[in-house]
Amino acid sequence: LCASDSYERREIGMTTKTISTRLAIVGRGAKCKGASVVEKSAYISRTTLDSEYYGKRFYPKYSEDLVHSEILLPPQAPKEYKDRSVLWNAVERVETHARAQLARTYNVSLPNEWSHELAKEVMRDYIRRNFVDKGMCAEFAIHDSINPKTHQMNLHCHIMLTMRPILEDGKWGDKQKKVYKYDRDGNKIRRKNGRYDCASVKTTDWDDPDNARRWRKNLADTASCL
C-alpha cells in the first residue's frame, strides 16, 4: 500500500505541506449558529446520521475522499459509544442548555508525502496520547483529495472531541462545579442577596488556552521524527 501510494502521488505532482491546525467549537449558541455534532460527524465520516435532538437526518455531501474514520474511547466510556450515532446523540441529549458547547473540532493538515496507512497510524497514536488518555472521546476521519485546478494532493484529518468528562460509572460528568466559600468557623458565607458565596471551577483542564500550543507542538514533534 505504501509503495503504490507513494508512486501515485509522485505521478500527480505531490508537494509537501507545512502541518497546520485549526480549533473550533460546535455549539448551539449564536456564534456557532446552532450547529449539531451529529451533523458534523456525518460530514467527516461521510455517513448518513439521524439527530434525535433536532429530528433531522444528515446526509454526507461527499464520500470519495474518505480514507479512514474511527472512534477512540477512554476505558470508562460505554462500549456502545463506538457507534458514532450513539455517541453524538448522547452528547446532544446530555447538553440541555440553549447555548451549550457540544464538542471541540480540531482540523489538521498533513504532509502530502505520507501514505494513507502512515497517516492513520500516526493520527491514531497522536489522538490517543493527547486526548483519549486525558478522558475525552474522539472521532477522527482522514480525507485525501486532489485539487482539480492544481492537481495537488490535500491530505488532512478531522478530529471531534467531547467536552464533558465521563465518570468511572460510564455516566457523563459536569464540565464545572460550584466551590463554596467558608468563614473561619467553617460555615458557608452568605452574600447580601441571601445566596451562598461560591465560584465555578472547571472539572478538567481541557479548556486551558495553552492546550492549542501544546497539541500543535506535539504534532509537529511527532511528524519531525518520521
Side-chain angles (χ1 to χ4, degrees):
L1 174 63
C2 294
S4 62
D5 186 57
S6 298
Y7 176 78
E8 181 183 7
R9 288 171 186 276
R10 286 196 296 270
E11 287 297 303
I12 63 173
M14 178 272 293
T15 59
T16 301
K17 293 183 299 184
T18 300
I19 289 181
S20 63
T21 60
R22 183 176 61 185
L23 275 167
I25 298 295
V26 182
R28 298 197 185 107
K31 292 183 178 180
C32 300
K33 300 179 180 179
S36 164
V37 284
V38 174
E39 180 181 15
K40 294 294 183 181
S41 177
Y43 172 77
I44 70 169
S45 66
R46 306 316 199 204
T47 57
T48 299
L49 295 175
D50 294 311
S51 169
E52 299 168 3
Y53 183 88
Y54 289 101
K56 292 183 180 180
R57 173 166 290 180
F58 297 108
Y59 300 91
K61 295 181 179 180
Y62 312 99
S63 60
E64 65 277 1
D65 62 345
L66 179 65
V67 172
H68 178 77
S69 63
E70 185 176 345
I71 290 178
L72 301 174
L73 303 174
Q76 71 274 25
K79 301 305 179 186
E80 56 265 30
Y81 284 177
K82 274 286 188 179
D83 183 327
R84 59 179 51 86
S85 177
V86 176
L87 171 61
W88 297 117
N89 270 295
V91 168
E92 290 192 340
R93 188 163 51 249
V94 74
E95 299 293 355
T96 58
H97 198 281
R99 297 188 301 275
Q101 293 186 341
L102 306 173
R104 181 175 286 107
T105 61
Y106 192 41
N107 297 340
V108 180
S109 177
L110 301 174
N112 281 327
E113 66 268 27
W114 283 9
S115 70
H116 291 167
E117 192 63 29
L118 177 61
K120 180 173 64 176
E121 293 178 2
V122 170
M123 293 312 298
R124 181 188 291 123
D125 175 69
Y126 169 78
I127 293 167
R128 191 177 298 281
R129 286 187 290 107
N130 286 274
F131 309 119
V132 180
D133 286 352
K134 305 297 183 182
M136 305 177 210
C137 299
E139 177 176 9
F140 76 98
I142 297 172
H143 297 170
D144 198 358
S145 59
I146 303 174
N147 187 305
K149 294 183 179 180
T150 64
H151 302 290
Q152 299 299 333
M153 302 301 296
N154 179 25
L155 184 65
H156 58 282
C157 181
H158 295 269
I159 306 170
M160 289 179 60
L161 305 166
T162 53
M163 302 182 70
R164 186 180 288 267
I166 296 182
L167 306 178
E168 290 302 319
D169 61 2
K171 296 180 180 180
W172 295 105
D174 295 325
K175 294 178 183 175
Q176 57 187 22
K177 61 181 179 180
K178 289 183 178 180
V179 176
Y180 291 95
K181 297 181 180 180
Y182 296 85
D183 59 24
R184 294 180 178 179
D185 297 324
N187 300 312
K188 292 181 180 179
I189 299 175
R190 283 189 182 273
R191 298 173 179 173
K192 292 182 179 181
N193 60 9
R195 296 180 179 178
Y196 289 115
D197 193 5
C198 65
S200 293
V201 178
K202 293 184 179 296
T203 57
T204 70
D205 63 352
W206 302 347
D207 285 337
D208 188 330
D210 287 336
N211 278 340
R213 177 184 57 79
R214 285 193 288 264
W215 294 339
R216 178 179 170 81
K217 183 179 185 303
N218 186 273
L219 182 61
D221 290 344
T222 299
S224 66
C225 295
L226 301 175

